[in-house]
Amino acid sequence: MLQNTSFAIHPGNNNKENKRVLKDIGRVKDVQSDDGVVTFCCEGGTVHIQFYHEEVVRVTYARNNVVPLPTQAVTQQSKKGLFTFEHTEHMWKMQTEKLIVEGNMSPFRINISNTNGESLLAESDKGLAYNFQGDLVNFKQAHDQDRYYGFGEKTGFLDKKGEKMTMWNTDVYAPHNPETDPLYQSIPFFLTLRESLAFGLFFDNPGKTHFNMKEDKGSYYFHNETGALDYYVFAGPTLKDAIQQYTWLTGRMPLPPKWAIGYHQSRFSYETEAEVMEVVDKFEEKNIPLDAIYLDIHYMDGYRVFTFDEGRFPNPKKMVETLKTKGIHVVPIVDPGVKEDPNYPVYQEGMRKNKFSKFLDGSVFYGNVWPGKSAFPDFTSETVGRWWGNLHQYYTDIGIEGIWNDMNEPAVFNETMTMDLKVVHDNEGNPKTHNELHNLYGFLMGKATFEGMKKNLDSKRTFLVTRAGYSGIQRYAAVWTGDNRSFWEHLQLAVPMCMNLGMSGVAFCGSDIGGFAHDTNGQLLARWTQFGAFTPFFRNHSAADTIRQEPWVFGEQTEIIVKKYIQLRYQWFPEFYKWFYEAHKTGLPVMRPLVLEYPNDKETHHLFDQFLIGENTIVAPIMTPDTKHRVVYLPEGKWINYWTEDVFDGNRHHLVYADFDIIPVFIKQGSAIAHGSIKANTKQQETDWQLHVYPSNEDKVTYEAYDDNGETTSYEEGDYELYRIQVKLSESMIELVSNVEGTFRPSMDQRSIVIHSDVTYEKAIYNGVDVTSSMTIENGCTVVDLSI
Ligand code: GLC
């Protein structure tokens, strides 16, 4: 029809015009260095370069000459006086004590190297480019040996070399295949490992961004569709350094309450109070530890957030209190969609006080989610965030201390799966379309929720788990990897996904144990729970209309294994807590790929199916059905099989036997791990703290244990205990020297050192005092009781 009108000669019909033809940024027309920022005005736009730290440089490229504002992912400010700057007609150079950023003037190019003269990021023959559709692109040289890690929540293997990825928070119910992309989280940060040199890059843009790591002709590129091209480079020189630098910029997680690190049980949904109590009773009756139970969407009145259905949950306050006396926390789901219902106070108030996301003409955006037609708070406005945060008093008033944020991509049941991109967000008086800010929505909801809960809970720690997020989400929430399925392949997928999340600043992460959709089975649940016991977030969750998957559903054999591993989590609790503290302090993950600790060992570079807890424990889950063997790679040194005490040589692959009740775990010789007692939940005091020492020939093992009250934020003011102990072993003597930092003292009945060695010791000294009389032999190990 239209072809019969003048539309037939519309210039947009010309294919050549429609092509996204890239144009080079061109030559520098003018350069200025002012106030800590060097500005290059080029033919194709303006580049600003500034330093946040000697090791952290920020480069922004926009078509106009305004320095773009960083997103809320960034917690630091740029600093003046960190660099020197010089330029000629042909070249320019900025230098700090750690980084050299330099390049050509015509065409404008940026090359970043460290002060040892090693090139980190050089631009390929193409550099910065743009097109008239608003895309800005940066091409970087790729080296053959480069490996890429991070990128947040992505399917596939650990190393992302050769992958193409998009950052656009998306509710993907099915499928989660190796090529499924994007998922719920957008963390546009990655690490490059080049032989033994490493560095990081964070591409800070909350709209849709792309990374093409396919290395076409020795280069890769990344680009955005809206806003400026805005990236930070972190100098490394190790992977760990680069993660620390990135989390310095985007923040680190506060310590969660101890209960958040225990075992959690969930289901879509435990639909009534009676059902919740029945599940909890069963845990008690069967003596299976439990720290939290989740309320999925059925708890609400017609899926209205901040309500309980009175019929299903007649007395939520009493239920929460009763469970709390047992040491079990209730975590309700809170989605962003607010039901359009003039009788519903949250909707009413949101409308009256202008809290919802709107179009430019002032009309509210409505989308269909669980409650039907719903409005969505505009979290880009701080007052809306505060309003939402304060609403959580509804939960804290009845004793709830943790929240589960879901559907916050935001997910909408429509073709685009999200909010209309033409919605214009308030953005603190700097209005931007949803298209430009999409990936921040879940992050900002998490921020509002965390801050509201924190305020309402006063000095108590809160816990939040979220599905969607952006860089920096670790400041507010743990992340779970969304709607996986009860497939062995999805158990396999979870391992590199969690490791890459960990390398992207999100130390507190995990997958739905047992699998969410599809029916699980006993063996899969058992193997997944074995793995889950070693993931930072440990929650069993399953979808409506699937087979139930509580620990006891699949008969006695499965129950015994599942229970054993839930209990094991509590035994390993002091060890986990130590690494959570480390993540809080440094940003380094709890669950680590081997490449993080052994970057010089090439065998670790692509190792995606085994991981470390902290530095010295290797976990190698079994992830195929009816399988009792697997290959485990052990890096340099000697390694002790945690279950059998057999010693294995490092730098080798081993075929390891693991019956259905065993997950292969190895401890590095010359190190130690801390254990506690098996408990009903973390509310119970520690009664038996043991440091298991696996001595090597060097015979000197040091360990730093961390503890605090696990409940309040007083650790921030020094109310913690860092207990450092050195274990020196000579032919017949054990010498223990300890010191303590912080004001907290755990009330522990027993603290002991367990030496895993067949040497017969005759004497033990603890901080100069003879404690030989408290030495015993148990299970072939020498135990020194320090509480005497
Ligand atoms: C989404 C969540 C899932 C939850 C369900 C119902 O699919 O990812 O965990 O159970 O919604 O709320």
Side-chain angles (χ1 to χ4, degrees), residues 580-598:
F580 266 79
Y581 175 69
E582 166 109 350
H584 157 68
K585 289 304 265 188
T586 65
L588 292 171
V590 174
M591 179 181 169
R592 302 180 182 177
L594 271 68
V595 67
L596 218 50
E597 297 297 329
Y598 299 93

Side-chain angles (χ1 to χ4, degrees), residues 171 173 184 268 296-297 333 335 370 404 406-407 467 480 482-483 512 516 539 541-542:
D171 170 23
Y173 179 62
Y184 317 88
F268 172 22
D296 207 325
I297 52 175
I333 196 166
D335 294 350
W370 304 120
W404 169 19
D406 187 29
M407 305 288 281
R467 195 170 73 173
W480 102 100
D483 295 346
D512 279 347
F516 177 68
R539 183 185 74 156
H541 182 49
S542 55

Side-chain angles (χ1 to χ4, degrees), residues 348-477:
Q348 239 183 47
E349 191 179 69
M351 286 301 279
R352 277 194 294 105
K353 297 190 177 166
N354 194 21
K355 303 296 184 200
F356 296 123
S357 303
K358 291 180 174 166
F359 292 101
L360 202 51
D361 65 5
S363 59
V364 169
F365 163 78
Y366 291 99
N368 270 332
V369 270
W370 304 120
K373 188 175 173 189
S374 304
F376 294 78
D378 187 355
F379 294 113
T380 67
S381 143
E382 269 181 35
T383 50
V384 175
R386 265 196 305 278
W387 170 69
W388 188 259
N390 288 337
L391 287 173
H392 288 75
Q393 200 180 340
Y394 175 79
Y395 296 112
T396 50
D397 275 354
I398 61 170
I400 285 171
E401 296 172 19
I403 298 288
W404 169 19
N405 276 175
D406 187 29
M407 305 288 281
N408 50 346
E409 293 72 26
V412 179
F413 302 150
N414 63 19
E415 287 237 317
T416 68
M417 302 196 283
T418 193
M419 187 177 278
D420 194 309
L421 303 185
K422 293 203 281 286
V423 161
V424 178
H425 290 293
D426 170 78
N427 199 32
E428 286 301 278
N430 176 21
K432 288 216 160 123
T433 60
H434 188 71
N435 193 31
E436 292 166 288
L437 297 181
H438 174 78
N439 288 339
L440 271 181
Y441 194 84
F443 168 95
L444 292 173
M445 180 181 181
K447 177 175 188 284
T449 306
F450 175 84
E451 287 173 352
M453 288 294 287
K454 190 168 175 203
K455 188 175 133 212
N456 294 337
L457 287 172
D458 215 3
S459 60
K460 261 197 176 167
R461 294 180 212 175
T462 186
F463 163 69
L464 175 65
V465 59
T466 182
R467 195 170 73 173
Y470 184 70
S471 289
I473 189 64
Q474 66 271 11
R475 309 202 298 264
Y476 310 116

